[in-house]
């Protein structure tokens, strides 16, 4: 069996968010890899969509056509040696992630097993949380959406802080307080700053929200600087999570070995695919750390978290959750804080050809 065809395509998809009048539009790139015996693997990302497409079509495809799709380590290593030394940006890791995820989809279909089982099969399910708390919401709307999620059985929620370019820490704290009071003490609440705080701002917010039992504080400081994260951990009892956008195991190593995080966050769609994410997960386990999913793409990351003993929770972000449900079929739904891994081979979701035609970027 060999790789016969490699094709990346871009899409522009409207996603409706609860209680927002207008949909948000998301760019995405989908990779389709076909073998000579008719197996097809798919993967998706939303980073550098048009640039990643060009890199795959013109540089990656000629390199990997004719290779055995089951030899995922060989393909990964080839892309690293041939391209990463010349393209030292997130474009390389995004393209490599697309290739590796699609190849694991093929591998699962070849062996008739879900990817989670081939990666290790530690469980047949993963914890699931919903990212609901957009900065666009005013405080009352934020509370209304949070209460509606809990009413639907979602007991693990995440909200964004550092609104308005991190200009009002006290307002962030008030929004966290309002949500905690609305959802009660039984639901888990996480917060995410998307790298926007200085160390002093992050420390200030932690002190203000520590009484509200925050499950984790995700990517709180500029650039995921491991020195700042390590300092922050010394100033708060809130667990620190980071790493979702890091593009290889060596960047994650800096967070882990320097004791900068309580939860490591490799994302298979950014870190270099399942092959690289598995290495990060194992490194984290060697340091007795769990992994958590930040950066979305639940239907792909759920396989990693079910596969390893230190896997925990998977992010169902309204935007990417909706995007995937539009462009793919057979997407499973989280129930009561868990997502069950489908028994279907590979990743377990299929392209929605009609939607892909409708939202394709011409």
């Amino acid at each position: 069996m060999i790789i016969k065809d490699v094709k990346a395509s871009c899409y522009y998809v409207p996603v409706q968010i609860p209680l927002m009048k207008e949909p948000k539009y998301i760019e995405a790139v989908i990779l389709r890899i076909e073998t000579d015996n008719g197996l097809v693997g798919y993967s998706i990302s939303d980073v550098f969509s048009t640039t990643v497409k060009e890199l795959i079509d013109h540089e990656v495809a000629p390199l990997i056509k004719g290779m055995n799709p089951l030899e995922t380590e060989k393909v990964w290593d080839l892309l690293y040696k041939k391209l990463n030394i010349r393209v030292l940006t997130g474009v390389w890791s995004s393209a490599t992630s697309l290739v590796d995820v699609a190849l694991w989809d093929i591998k699962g279909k070849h062996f008739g097993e879900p990817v989670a089982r081939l990666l290790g099969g530690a469980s047949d399910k993963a914890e699931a949380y919903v990212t609901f708390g957009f900065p666009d919401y005013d405080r009352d709307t934020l509370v209304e959406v949070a209460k509606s999620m809990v009413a639907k059985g979602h007991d693990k929620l995440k909200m964004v802080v550092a609104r308005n370019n991190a200009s009002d820490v006290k307002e962030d704290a008030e929004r966290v307080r309002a949500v905690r009071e609305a959802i009660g003490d039984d639901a888990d609440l996480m917060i995410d700053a998307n790298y926007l705080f200085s160390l002093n701002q992050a420390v200030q917010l932690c002190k203000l929200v520590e009484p509200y039992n925050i499950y984790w504080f995700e990517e709180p400081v500029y650039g995921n600087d491991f020195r700042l994260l390590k300092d922050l951990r010394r100033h708060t009892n809130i667990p620190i999570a980071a790493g979702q956008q890091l593009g290889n195991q060596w960047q994650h190593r800096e967070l882990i070995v320097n004791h900068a995080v309580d939860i490591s966050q490799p994302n298979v769609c950014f870190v270099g695919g399942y092959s690289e994410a598995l290495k990060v997960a194992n490194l984290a386990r060697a340091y007795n750390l769990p992994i958590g999913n930040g950066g979305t793409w639940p239907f792909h990351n759920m396989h990693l978290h079910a596969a390893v003993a230190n896997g925990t929770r998977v992010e169902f972000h309204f935007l990417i959750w909706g995007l995937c449900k539009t462009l793919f079929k057979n997407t499973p739904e989280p129930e009561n804080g868990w997502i069950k891994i489908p028994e279907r081979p590979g990743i377990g979701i299929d392209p929605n050809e009609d939607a892909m035609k409708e939202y394709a970027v011409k």
Side-chain angles (χ1 to χ4, degrees), residues 93-118:
S93 60
S94 295
T96 300
S97 299
L98 283 163
V99 170
D100 189 79
V101 169
L103 293 184
W104 276 93
D105 192 26
I106 289 172
K107 190 180 293 193
K109 291 168 181 175
H110 175 76
F111 289 109
E113 296 284 358
V115 168
R117 189 166 293 138
L118 296 182

Side-chain angles (χ1 to χ4, degrees), residues 131-199:
T131 296
F132 76 97
F134 292 103
D136 312 61
Y137 290 143
D138 61 30
R139 203 186 298 179
D140 290 341
T141 308
L142 183 72
V143 165
E144 185 177 350
V145 176
K147 291 170 68 175
S148 72
M149 290 297 101
V150 172
K152 292 177 181 177
H154 301 297
D155 61 353
K156 305 171 186 69
L157 302 177
K158 190 170 81 178
M159 60 180 287
V160 173
V161 292
R163 297 171 72 242
N164 301 321
N165 201 30
S167 62
D168 194 343
V169 173
K170 290 183 179 179
E171 175 59 20
D172 282 322
E174 283 301 302
R175 288 164 66 87
V176 172
R177 178 196 58 77
V179 169
R180 171 53 76 196
E181 291 178 355
I183 65 177
D185 295 330
D186 292 335
D188 289 343
L189 180 61
M190 294 155 275
I191 59 176
D192 184 355
N194 292 307
Y195 325 113
L196 290 176
F197 280 135
S198 68
L199 175 60

Side-chain angles (χ1 to χ4, degrees), residues 137-354:
Y137 290 143
D138 61 30
R139 203 186 298 179
D140 290 341
T141 308
L142 183 72
V143 165
E144 185 177 350
V145 176
K147 291 170 68 175
S148 72
M149 290 297 101
V150 172
K152 292 177 181 177
H154 301 297
D155 61 353
K156 305 171 186 69
L157 302 177
K158 190 170 81 178
M159 60 180 287
V160 173
V161 292
R163 297 171 72 242
N164 301 321
N165 201 30
S167 62
D168 194 343
V169 173
K170 290 183 179 179
E171 175 59 20
D172 282 322
E174 283 301 302
R175 288 164 66 87
V176 172
R177 178 196 58 77
V179 169
R180 171 53 76 196
E181 291 178 355
I183 65 177
D185 295 330
D186 292 335
D188 289 343
L189 180 61
M190 294 155 275
I191 59 176
D192 184 355
N194 292 307
Y195 325 113
L196 290 176
F197 280 135
S198 68
L199 175 60
N200 289 339
Q201 288 172 315
V203 170
Q204 181 187 5
L205 183 63
C206 284
K207 295 303 181 185
L208 291 172
V209 302
E210 279 177 357
Y212 308 128
N213 190 22
I214 304 303
Y215 189 86
W216 77 43
F217 191 174
E218 185 172 316
E219 307 211 311
V221 297
Y222 301 146
N224 270 340
D225 186 318
F226 73 83
R227 296 172 183 85
L228 298 182
L229 289 169
K230 185 176 181 179
D231 286 344
L232 179 60
R233 287 187 70 225
R234 288 198 285 257
H235 286 87
T236 185
N237 59 24
I238 299 174
I240 303 301
Q244 60 178 289
Q245 302 288 353
L246 299 184
N248 56 59
Q249 61 183 296
W250 301 286
Q251 292 175 315
H252 280 274
R253 180 187 62 192
E254 295 306 304
L255 293 181
I256 293 170
V257 304
N258 286 289
H259 307 289
V261 293
D262 299 282
I263 301 101
S264 174
Q265 289 188 306
N267 187 308
V268 303
C269 294
F270 305 138
V271 74
Y274 292 114
S275 298
E276 194 75 345
L278 190 60
K279 296 178 179 68
V280 176
N282 288 331
L283 175 62
R285 190 180 183 194
Y287 280 77
N288 291 313
L289 293 180
I291 63 168
N293 171 218
T296 69
W297 305 113
F299 304 115
H300 303 79
N301 281 280
M302 66 183 184
H303 288 274
L304 174 68
H305 284 264
V308 297
N310 58 334
T312 60
R313 49 189 57 182
V314 177
E315 180 178 18
F316 282 80
H317 188 291
F318 279 153
L319 286 174
I320 303 302
W321 187 6
L323 172 73
C324 286
K325 288 172 67 174
T326 298
L327 293 178
F328 291 92
K329 300 182 293 185
N330 306 313
T331 53
E333 289 292 299
E335 294 183 10
N336 299 318
W338 292 89
I339 183 71
K340 185 82 167 55
I341 305 301
E343 276 296 325
R344 304 179 76 246
I347 295 170
I349 57 178
D350 298 314
N352 183 333
E353 300 290 353
D354 291 338

